[in-house]
Every structure is written in structure tokens, then in C-alpha cells.
Amino acid sequence: MSSYLTIKNLTVRLKNGAPILRAVSLDVAAGQVHGLVGESGAGKSMIGKAVLGTLPRALQVTSGEIWLDGVDLLSLPASERRRRIGATAALIPQDPLTALNPSKRIGPQITRRLVDILGWRKQDAEARALDLLGEVHIPDPARVMRSYPHELSGGMRQRILIASAFAAEPKLIIADEPTTALDVTVQKQILRLIGEMQARHNTALLFVTHDLGVVSKVCDTLSVLYAGKVVEEARMQRFFMRPIHPYSAALLAATPTYTNPDSSLTPVPQTVTDAVEREVREHDLRAGA
Amino acid sequence: MTFFRNILIRLLTTAVTLFGVAVIVFVVIRVVPGNPIAMMLPPGATEADIARLQAQYGFDKSIFQQFVIWLGGVLQGDFGTSISTRQPVAGLVLSRLPATLELSIVALVMAVIMGGTMALLGTRYRDTKTEGAVDVTAGMALSIPDFLWGLVLILLFGVLWPVFHISGRISPALNIDFTTNFYLFEALVRLRFDVLADLISHMFMPALALAIPLAAIIAQLLKQSLKETMHLDYVTLARTKGYGENHVITREALPNAILPTLTLVGVQFTFLIGGTVIIERLFSYEGLGNMAIDAVINRDLPLIQGIVILFALLFTLVNLVVDMLYVVLNPRLRHA
């Protein structure tokens, strides 16, 4: 099975040298959904940003390789890399309310890059956008294309962003907490929709989330991150039945249950976090040596 | 349709504003010391001469009566007769208005070009020495008022390196047979490039002096808004689509970042028009501002009234135009 995204030993550091990602490796094949889970600040979003070339200016990739559809992105010159990313990868952002340009109509926000970057004819791009809006179950796509973002609901806007992400038939889609900003009732529909679209277009999907419940519904494989380091990589079923790393086990145990609403929330025990911290320090020492 | 209703309401409030301005100006210039009649008569004039002239110009009546008479004339388009030149105020003022309008608009265009370029450069090369240079330049430009810039420019381009005309609006030797007083506009339309070059040579320094402080304000505010906008999600999303920095700044960020700047430019443009009074004097530019100063020196009450009303009308119109532009540029306001 060919991999659309392969990350090897990716290390990202602050300008002052402090590591944000520590030798992260992962692999997402065509048609596969790979989950990235971890606490806030574990660096899961930074992996997606490193792949898409949108790391904050204070951060830089110091070593490693990012292979996207057979090309090592980091070996390309900046403008070539940008075009390559635009043509083969796409982002489904976290907050649909801020991810659409408020001064532009929906249509051009989907079609313009197909014309500008990929050289499509305008009519083709528009037909494509109409099809995709239909695929994400938007009623009256032609009207929506003429609308401004403020005229549409959050759920609608997230559907539009999903459609837009699939517009150029990308090999890889990175979904960065795509349901976090949504209403709980909408979350489920959007999750189902992302799964549906991913299966239909046979893309590789990197799914960044802190929600293990969400992961269990959509992912085939997953990586657990702590302090910028992958502590466990597993297939879905095995992970939920028998997590290997103690941190993974603690994270799973901390998932709130609906069956016993009276029970208090279970934190990840101090002994476990201390142990992972030790592990991470040892990794840094080895890397430094 | 609400758009047009709003404009109608604005026009009505404009009328109220102008009435208020008229009342204040009318009263103030009659209360402050200085007698217009005394300026007109030779030193040996008799009491009878003074009384006769005062009656002729209506200054023997109460301020309220004078106002009612004046307002009655204004409503019929008659703004009275200038005391110093004995010509109708309306004609005098309107003949000078094009000069001031052209100067202000050229200054505004210069300010937008200079300030916009600085803001875009500062954003493109943010967190580098270039942004630092933009900040320092803008800070310096802003800390010196327009009339001082006028003097600096006269020294630079009038004395040390005399490339521009330092006084007047147009060379008297130039043969122009234009139908309007919008010389610049008409020279453009008639393709009279000799006249155009002469006008620009006269206008360059006063316009630049007016433009520099406004350019600095635009540079600072627009750069700030652009930098904030650059962090927003839709800008990041555009980057992932393969767009480069220049496209992202000008196409994604700029249309949104420009809105707060537009509001400010509207307000600042009225200050710029106010600034023409001193700047026109400095460069002996034959516009409304220069005329206003003469009118005050001569205690030419009807002329002062006419000029102030016209300035007030200009200010309110500028604000109206800015509000309309804001609606055009911001789709979120269009259906409100």
C-alpha cells in the first residue's frame, strides 16, 4: 500500500532551540484515516502546520523529512513547495466562523485557487464547486455560491470548508480539530460527512483532535503525542483494547463515560506524566549526544 | 432601498448641521471686535458717512434681524455681497472652490499612495529592519505639522534645489481659455499637457505638505490592521491553497484590513481640507483658504460666512461619501 504522507524524524524547534516536535515519524496511506491525539500543547496541530508550511514564524523545522505523494517537501525551494502543497494537500480548519474571508462570496473562495494555482478553466472550477457543495449536502448550491459567509450558519460554513478542501482532489487532507468549534448536535453530522467524503475520494486523512471518542469513530490508526513526542502508534482496535504505553492507558481511562454520569472525572495520574516527562528528557539527551 | 433612505436622512441632518454652523458663525463674527465699516472708510469720515454705510449694509439692525435677512437671501441662492470686493459672495466663493478641491484631492491621493505603500512594505517585511524603517519614517512624518512641512519643502525644492514653483496656482504667462476653474481636471480632459505640467509644478509642494502627515497616519493604522489580519484563519487557509505572501497580503488581508483605515481617512481628510487654509497662504495658492484669511483681515463678514458654510458643507459631504464607501466595501453592512 502506497503512502501519501510519510513523516520521518521531524524535529521542530523554537528559534531559541527549545524543541516543539521531537523526531516525529508517521505514515498515512491512501484511503486511511490517521488520528493525532494528545493534550493541549502536545504539538499535534504543529505536525499539520509543518506539513502545510504554515508554522508560526517563531518555529522552524530543524531536521527530518516530510514526503507528500512521493516528494520530499523540505527539499523543494519555498515557492515550489507552496505550489506542491496547494496542489496535493488541503486543510479543514478548526473554526468555520473565522476560516472564510468575510469580504468575499463563497463561490470564488472555492474556485479561485483552482483557476489561479492549478490553471483550471473558470467554468470547470465553478461546475466542480457546485458538485462538491451538493456532495456535502448543501441545499441550493448555486445560491450559496453567491452568498457571503456572514449569511450562513456555522454548520453550513464547515460543510463549505470541507467541500473546498476536496476541490482539487488532494492526496492528503489535514483536519485540525474540525468539530471542536461546532455545536454538539452538528459535530456528529460533520464527522460523518468528513468520513463519507474521505472514503468517496480515497484521500489520506490526518485527523488532529484531543477527543478520543471522535478518534474511535473515524480513524484507522493513531499516534499519541506527549510533549512533542510520539509515545505510541497503533491500529485503532488494538489501541482501545490494549494500549501499550502507560500514558495512552491513562488517557483512555480519563475519557468520561456516559453510562455512569455520577462518577467524577479521572485525571491522568501524576506518576504517569512524570514517567513520560522522564522518557522525553532521555530522548532529548540521546538526541543531543 | 434602505440605502437610499439612509442617504436621504443624512442629507436632512446635513441641512440641520449647516443651519447650526450658520447661526454660530453669524453671531460670533458680529460679537468679536473689529468693525467692517471702519475698514472701508478713509480716516476723515464723518459720523453721517458711517451711519449711511452701516444702513446700506444692514449693520444698524439687530443681529437677529440681520440673520433673518441673510438667511432669506441664502435660501434664494444669494449669499450677499462681499464688502471688500463689492462682488456677490456666491460667485467669489465658487470661483475659488475648484482650486482648493483639486489641491485637497491631489493631496489625498498622494497620502493614500505613500501611506498605502509604506503599510504594504511594512507588512510584507514585518519584523525586519524594513518595518522598523517604516515605523520611524511614519513617526517622524507625523510629529511635524503640515505647515512646517511646507516650509521644509520650500527650503528643499524652492531654494536649495529649485525645481518646483513656490507660489501661485498657475503661471500667469500661460495662455489658458478654460471654461471651468477646475484647471487640473480640464487640462486632463483637453489633453493640455503643458498646462498640466505647470499646474502640477505649482501644486506639488503644497499638496505634499498636506499629504505627509496623513500618509503617516495611513501607514501606521493600515500596517497595524494588516498585521492583525495576517494571523486570521482565512489567511492561513489561503496559504495552504498555494498562494504566496504578496497575494495573501493584497487579496486576502487588505480588503478586510482597509475598513478601519477608511473611517479614519474620512475624518483626517476633513482636517486636511482645514489645513489648506494655512498651506494656501504659505504658497500663495489662490484657493478658498487664502481667500478666507483675506476675508478675516478685511472683516468681510458676508464673505467669511459664505466660506465657512462652504467648508462645513464639504466636511459633511466627505463624511457622507466615506459612509457610503464603507457600505460598498463591507458586505456585512449591505443588508443591514
Side-chain angles (χ1 to χ4, degrees):
Chain A
M1 192 165 26
S2 68
S3 287
Y4 279 162
L5 174 69
T6 303
I7 297 177
K8 285 183 192 159
N9 290 317
L10 180 70
T11 299
V12 169
R13 290 176 191 275
L14 279 169
K15 289 263 156 72
N16 67 16
I20 299 297
L21 293 178
R22 302 161 198 258
V24 168
S25 295
L26 58 84
D27 208 74
V28 197
Q32 292 283 301
V33 183
H34 186 86
L36 273 178
V37 296
E39 313 173 8
S40 307
K44 47 193 192 305
S45 283
M46 290 305 148
I47 295 179
K49 288 192 163 79
V51 173
L52 293 170
T54 56
L55 280 176
R57 289 177 159 227
L59 302 185
Q60 53 194 15
V61 175
T62 52
S63 66
E65 296 164 23
I66 300 173
W67 291 81
L68 180 61
D69 194 28
V71 180
D72 181 10
L73 291 178
L74 299 178
S75 70
L76 298 175
S79 65
E80 178 60 27
R81 184 191 321 153
R82 208 170 50 225
R83 212 170 351 233
R84 187 86 208 160
I85 293 168
T88 44
L91 171 72
I92 298 176
Q94 174 169 7
D95 187 352
L97 299 186
T98 56
L100 289 165
N101 192 326
S103 65
K104 292 182 175 177
R105 293 177 198 275
I106 299 298
Q109 298 202 45
I110 303 176
T111 58
R112 273 305 293 274
R113 50 84 70 104
L114 297 175
V115 178
D116 290 351
I117 310 278
L118 305 173
W120 289 34
R121 288 195 329 191
K122 196 157 176 268
Q123 305 92 293
D124 295 344
E126 264 160 23
R128 171 80 175 153
L130 281 172
D131 284 351
L132 280 164
L133 289 178
E135 276 186 36
V136 296
H137 312 300
I138 282 182
D140 200 356
R143 187 185 59 79
V144 168
M145 294 264 284
R146 288 191 305 273
S147 303
Y148 283 98
H150 70 273
E151 298 166 327
L152 305 165
S153 71
M156 283 276 264
R157 290 192 228 181
Q158 189 60 294
R159 284 168 193 277
I160 288 162
L161 287 162
I162 292 169
S164 176
F166 282 92
E169 284 295 353
K171 306 285 187 188
L172 169 75
I173 287 194
I174 295 176
D176 189 359
E177 306 256 10
T179 58
T180 310
L182 296 174
D183 194 85
V184 190
T185 50
V186 185
Q187 274 189 14
K188 252 186 155 170
Q189 303 168 15
I190 293 295
L191 268 186
R192 198 178 313 129
L193 181 66
I194 292 176
E196 201 180 295
M197 292 290 285
Q198 181 270 335
R200 179 180 305 151
H201 295 265
N202 201 36
T203 41
L205 176 61
L206 191 62
F207 200 101
V208 180
T209 181
H210 62 268
D211 189 339
L212 280 173
V214 167
V215 166
S216 71
K217 286 193 194 74
V218 294
C219 298
D220 305 303
T221 52
L222 91 167
S223 299
V224 180
L225 265 98
Y226 188 90
K229 187 177 182 306
V230 175
V231 295
E232 176 160 6
E233 196 176 358
R235 290 198 65 77
M236 212 58 237
Q237 212 172 1
R238 202 273 287 150
F239 178 80
F240 277 95
M241 297 194 8
R242 199 162 34 81
I244 293 172
H245 198 278
Y247 177 71
S248 308
L251 207 58
L252 263 180
T255 311
T257 56
Y258 299 108
T259 45
N260 186 2
D262 296 330
S263 69
S264 56
L265 295 172
T266 321
V268 174
Q270 180 84 43
T271 50
V272 175
T273 50
D274 285 350
V276 216
E277 304 256 1
R278 220 166 20 247
E279 200 178 311
V280 167
R281 266 200 304 281
E282 278 163 21
H283 169 270
D284 283 355
L285 280 176
R286 277 201 309 282
Chain B
M1 280 305 104
T2 47
F3 184 62
F4 292 102
R5 213 187 63 199
N6 286 342
I7 291 178
L8 196 70
I9 292 172
R10 285 294 297 270
L11 288 176
L12 286 175
T13 49
T14 299
V16 177
T17 307
L18 291 181
F19 181 78
V21 169
V23 170
I24 291 169
V25 173
F26 204 90
V27 172
V28 166
I29 59 179
R30 277 166 179 75
V31 169
V32 293
N35 186 345
I37 301 301
M39 305 288 293
M40 299 168 69
L41 290 168
T46 60
E47 288 290 325
D49 289 336
I50 294 174
R52 193 172 47 76
L53 260 181
Q54 277 194 326
Q56 184 187 331
Y57 281 97
F59 293 133
D60 54 340
K61 298 192 173 66
S62 74
I63 291 184
F64 179 74
Q65 279 174 315
Q66 289 181 44
F67 184 72
V68 171
I69 294 169
W70 178 77
L71 192 66
V74 166
L75 292 177
Q76 296 166 39
D78 175 15
F79 283 76
T81 307
S82 157
I83 296 175
S84 53
T85 65
R86 322 261 158 123
Q87 287 174 320
V89 167
L92 277 177
V93 167
L94 288 180
S95 72
R96 287 292 188 97
L97 175 66
T100 297
L101 273 185
E102 285 187 349
L103 179 65
S104 310
I105 290 169
V106 168
L108 177 67
V109 171
M110 285 167 103
V112 168
I113 292 172
M114 292 191 298
T117 308
M118 281 169 72
L120 289 172
L121 272 179
T123 309
R124 178 67 181 82
Y125 301 102
R126 57 193 175 285
D127 308 321
T128 67
K129 283 189 183 132
T130 309
E131 191 191 356
V134 166
D135 288 339
V136 170
T137 313
M140 239 176 58
L142 198 55
S143 55
I144 300 176
D146 49 13
F147 56 89
L148 272 185
W149 277 118
L151 292 175
V152 171
L153 291 173
I154 288 177
L155 198 64
L156 282 178
F157 298 119
V159 179
L160 293 179
W161 185 41
V163 283
F164 295 112
H165 291 277
I166 50 170
S167 84
R169 186 184 181 200
I170 191 161
S171 300
L174 216 59
N175 170 33
I176 52 163
D177 44 0
F178 285 0
T179 43
T180 69
N181 281 335
F182 286 96
Y183 291 164
L184 193 71
F185 180 73
E186 200 166 331
L188 267 175
V189 172
R190 291 176 180 239
L191 303 176
R192 285 285 301 272
F193 294 113
D194 55 329
V195 181
L196 194 66
D198 186 71
L199 284 167
I200 289 175
S201 173
H202 280 90
M203 196 185 265
F204 182 79
M205 284 199 285
L208 189 60
L210 288 166
I212 288 174
L214 180 56
I217 295 173
I218 293 176
Q220 285 181 338
L221 184 72
L222 185 59
K223 178 166 74 72
Q224 187 58 33
S225 323
L226 273 171
K227 282 179 71 181
E228 280 165 19
T229 312
M230 292 303 284
H231 292 296
L232 297 182
D233 290 349
Y234 57 82
V235 174
T236 306
L237 193 62
R239 287 182 201 285
T240 70
K241 290 176 177 175
Y243 286 114
E245 189 72 9
N246 292 341
H247 176 104
V248 164
I249 291 175
T250 54
R251 299 296 173 78
E252 296 288 333
L254 188 61
N256 297 293
I258 207 163
L259 294 173
T261 308
L262 181 68
T263 313
L264 185 91
V265 166
V267 176
Q268 292 292 330
F269 184 51
T270 57
F271 292 161
L272 187 151
I273 296 175
T276 58
V277 174
I278 302 293
I279 290 293
E280 284 180 5
R281 194 66 173 183
L282 197 60
F283 289 91
S284 309
Y285 186 90
E286 295 109 25
L288 266 183
N290 215 343
M291 184 185 255
I293 292 180
D294 285 335
V296 170
I297 290 172
N298 294 328
R299 300 288 185 276
D300 193 339
L301 304 193
L303 190 54
I304 297 175
Q305 282 151 211
I307 293 173
V308 172
I309 293 289
L310 192 60
F311 268 117
L313 184 66
L314 271 182
F315 286 14
T316 47
L317 283 182
V318 167
N319 284 323
L320 182 66
V321 169
V322 168
D323 286 356
M324 281 160 61
L325 264 180
Y326 205 85
V327 175
V328 171
L329 290 179
N330 189 351
R332 276 166 291 188
L333 291 180
R334 233 169 272 166
H335 310 285

